[in-house]
Amino acid sequence: MKALHFVGDSLAELKEFDKPSPGNGEVLLEMKASGICGSDLGNFKESKSLKAERSSLIIPGHEPVGVIAELGGEVGNLSVGDRVMMHHYSGCLRCSMCRIGYTQMCLQHHEVYGYSADGGHQDYMVVPAYTCISMPDELDFAAAAACACGTGTAFQAIKRLNVIGSETVAIFGQGPVGLSATMFAAQMGARVIAIDVVDTRLNLAKELGAEEIINATKVDSETVIRELTSGEGADSTLDATGIPDVRLEAVDSAKYWGKVCFVGEGNTTTFDISKQIIHKQLTVLGSWTFSQAGLSDVARFVVERKSPMSKLITHTFNLDEAQCAYDLFVEGNTGKVVFVWD
Ligand SMILES: [Zn+2]
Ligand SMILES: [Zn+2]
């Protein structure tokens, strides 16, 4: 079987491995789809010299979706042939966070598949049985892979913001997470203002339901958002970029008593707390992916509400085209990009 390694300096190399066997409490997944997420790009671009300092390379891919090919011992609630999405974290299963399905917040220790443990960019993958979440029959594998990180993260963030149909939501960044947030907020009835610096992504946002699009290289986004909201600002704003200046814009574009949600990771951002947050009576949220139940929820919503996933997923590749897929995604002009197996 083949598996991918990022060997440094934006090179993706396919390697031959023996097919692994599941141990107690584990299952073997025959991979059917594995998404590319913005958070993989740091690992992809890391220099060869930094890679050389690592004892071993991890197989990337944290949106694994497949069919169960083999059961290890003591696995009672799954069968060979089941179509499953992986909730890509392990935890102790006993602490308060694991018990609510947030194994990524385990109070003891957690692994993130695709970062600290081998992920989905391989033909077969051994995973703990409890990470397998059943897929609705109507959901295709590529759409399920999107749900397993980027799209699921967007769904959870929009739910955390309690977006309702009478509201205007400004969504900063229209990569796969921001585009998904645009799609869901629009499906929930809100008026979406989508902000990005790339026209192809803004056009996709429009197709996914954004009522207004703003290219932040051409106009000042806060000014335009205020013009579109009688001078008051958006009811809710969401940052899917992680860029400090954009986070400030997300805060400044929210109206008095508004809500702000941060999803884009990394960097440090400085706020004038009194002026920008306290005196505006803002509710500020951080939202990190989703629980095991949250993964089921987004999959069900996508099916029941016929979310236009085929518009969101602009490119699919086979794993042998990995270099091409990552070279394309890193340019930042696409929607969601997913590896699929026939
Ligand atoms: Zn735990
Ligand atoms: Zn991700």
Side-chain angles (χ1 to χ4, degrees), residues 22 45 95 121 140 145 150 171 216 220 247 251 273-274 284 298 307 320 335:
K45 291 193 264 189
C95 74
H121 291 357
D140 69 57
I171 298 174
D220 177 64
R247 287 189 180 129
V251 165
I273 292 291
S274 291
V284 178
V298 64
S307 302
D320 352 7

Side-chain angles (χ1 to χ4, degrees), residues 316-336:
T316 57
F317 290 93
N318 295 323
L319 193 61
D320 352 7
E321 303 167 302
Q323 186 68 52
C324 185
Y326 271 91
D327 286 344
L328 176 76
F329 186 65
V330 83
E331 284 172 21
N333 294 314
T334 66
K336 185 73 181 174

Side-chain angles (χ1 to χ4, degrees), residues 192-221:
V192 178
I193 303 173
I195 304 103
D196 202 281
V197 295
V198 175
D199 282 330
T200 48
R201 284 186 158 171
L202 287 168
N203 292 335
L204 265 175
K206 196 113 212 201
E207 280 185 52
L208 288 165
E211 208 162 299
E212 306 285 348
I213 52 175
I214 298 175
N215 186 326
T217 62
K218 296 177 183 157
V219 290
D220 177 64
S221 42

Side-chain angles (χ1 to χ4, degrees), residues 262-282:
F262 294 118
V263 169
E265 299 223 34
N267 298 313
T268 298
T269 307
T270 304
F271 296 99
D272 181 339
I273 292 291
S274 291
K275 178 168 172 270
Q276 291 180 288
I277 295 175
I278 297 175
H279 295 170
K280 287 180 71 177
Q281 311 269 13
L282 288 188

Side-chain angles (χ1 to χ4, degrees), residues 36-40 62-63 88-89 115 148-150 153 177 289 336:
I36 298 182
C37 184
S39 57
D40 294 320
H62 59 275
E63 299 178 341
H88 61 276
Y89 309 99
Y115 292 100
C149 180
T153 294
V177 174
T289 61
K336 185 73 181 174

Side-chain angles (χ1 to χ4, degrees), residues 273-314:
I273 292 291
S274 291
K275 178 168 172 270
Q276 291 180 288
I277 295 175
I278 297 175
H279 295 170
K280 287 180 71 177
Q281 311 269 13
L282 288 188
T283 299
V284 178
L285 301 166
S287 193
W288 181 26
T289 61
F290 41 79
S291 67
Q292 294 168 348
L295 181 49
S296 285
D297 288 347
V298 64
R300 213 166 37 236
F301 185 95
V302 160
V303 165
E304 289 174 0
R305 304 292 290 272
K306 300 183 174 60
S307 302
M309 297 297 287
S310 57
K311 286 184 183 160
L312 176 73
I313 299 168
T314 53

Side-chain angles (χ1 to χ4, degrees), residues 20-35:
S21 294
N24 276 351
E26 295 176 332
V27 303
L28 180 69
L29 284 190
E30 180 188 344
M31 209 60 62
K32 291 293 179 186
S34 181

